[in-house]
Amino acid sequence: MLPLDFSSKIEIMKMNVLPKLLYLFQSLPVKIPQIFCVKWNRMISRFIWGGRKPRVKYEVLQLPKEDGGMALPKLEEYYISAQLRYIYCWCNPNYKAKWKDMEKELGTNPIQNLIGDREQYKKLNDLDPITDFTLNIWYGTIRKYKLQNELKVLKWVTYDSNFKPAQYDQGFEQWTIKGITT
């Protein structure tokens, strides 16, 4: 085995291991239990420190280089980002995929509406597990970064239960057809 210094081992993790894990995260839109991330972090730590006791906390190594860390990837954040990628695909009209067409309509609500309206999301009981999981991660991220107020901008006027004129005037549905949503 080649003798590698500390920073070379971290670069190996970034260039060789991270892309493989990212591929796994993007390919499997399913919940990966937290215990797997903990195990992977332990294995990475053992590799970096050569099986010896760590001299620097793992969380410090994950800090950006500007903040005194080594920019070691946070696997949990990569996983969440990979799952949130589907939200971007739902909202991008130029993105074409068969799975998107299957998930696009959920009853009377377009799936894009659920991104901004948690009340509508809570009312749905017949979501497929993958869509439900993606929306759970979305709302967990909204909670984590305290973005609840900004989320209101994403509500679709036509389907907003708090916007009473949309309940009485069907003309607002024409807005959605013409691309005016929020």
Side-chain angles (χ1 to χ4, degrees):
M1 189 164 164
L2 293 172
L4 299 170
D5 65 348
F6 180 71
S7 62
S8 297
K9 289 181 181 181
I10 290 176
E11 293 302 318
I12 286 173
M13 296 310 304
K14 289 180 187 177
M15 291 187 290
N16 292 334
V17 177
L18 182 62
K20 292 174 183 165
L21 287 174
L22 192 55
Y23 175 76
L24 175 73
F25 296 159
Q26 290 176 343
S27 299
L28 300 173
V30 294
K31 183 171 175 81
I32 296 178
Q34 183 69 26
I35 191 74
F36 282 107
C37 289
V38 171
K39 286 181 182 182
W40 290 332
N41 285 340
R42 278 190 201 134
M43 287 192 285
I44 292 169
S45 180
R46 268 190 236 127
F47 171 73
I48 289 172
W49 294 106
R52 296 176 304 220
K53 183 179 176 184
R55 290 184 267 170
V56 179
K57 284 187 175 184
Y58 195 77
E59 292 79 20
V60 173
L61 294 177
Q62 291 178 323
L63 291 174
K65 290 185 179 184
E66 301 83 39
D67 295 339
M70 294 295 290
L72 190 65
K74 295 180 181 181
L75 298 180
E76 298 89 347
E77 290 184 8
Y78 272 89
Y79 171 66
I80 288 171
S81 298
Q83 300 309 311
L84 291 178
R85 179 179 129 261
Y86 296 109
I87 300 232
Y88 168 77
C89 295
W90 289 337
C91 295
N92 183 353
N94 297 325
Y95 183 83
K96 305 286 184 212
K98 289 183 182 181
W99 65 265
K100 180 181 174 182
D101 295 334
M102 293 183 338
E103 293 177 351
K104 199 189 293 187
E105 291 292 329
L106 299 168
T108 59
N109 274 334
I111 195 163
Q112 297 93 331
N113 178 52
L114 299 178
I115 296 166
D117 198 344
R118 187 169 172 85
E119 290 82 33
Q120 292 288 339
Y121 166 63
K122 288 178 183 177
K123 291 178 187 176
L124 292 175
N125 297 327
D126 58 344
L127 280 176
D128 66 276
I130 295 171
T131 304
D132 188 41
F133 174 66
T134 303
L135 288 169
N136 272 328
I137 287 186
W138 169 253
Y139 285 114
T141 304
I142 296 296
R143 237 183 349 268
K144 179 179 178 182
Y145 294 106
K146 297 177 177 82
L147 299 172
Q148 288 86 350
N149 289 333
E150 287 78 4
L151 192 63
K152 294 175 187 174
V153 175
L154 298 175
K155 279 189 177 185
W156 284 26
V157 173
T158 307
Y159 302 100
D160 187 356
S161 57
N162 296 328
F163 186 63
K164 298 297 180 196
Q167 295 174 3
Y168 303 113
D169 185 0
Q170 300 302 323
F172 288 103
E173 288 182 19
Q174 294 299 316
W175 289 18
T176 303
I177 293 168
K178 294 184 183 203
I180 302 169
T181 54
T182 57

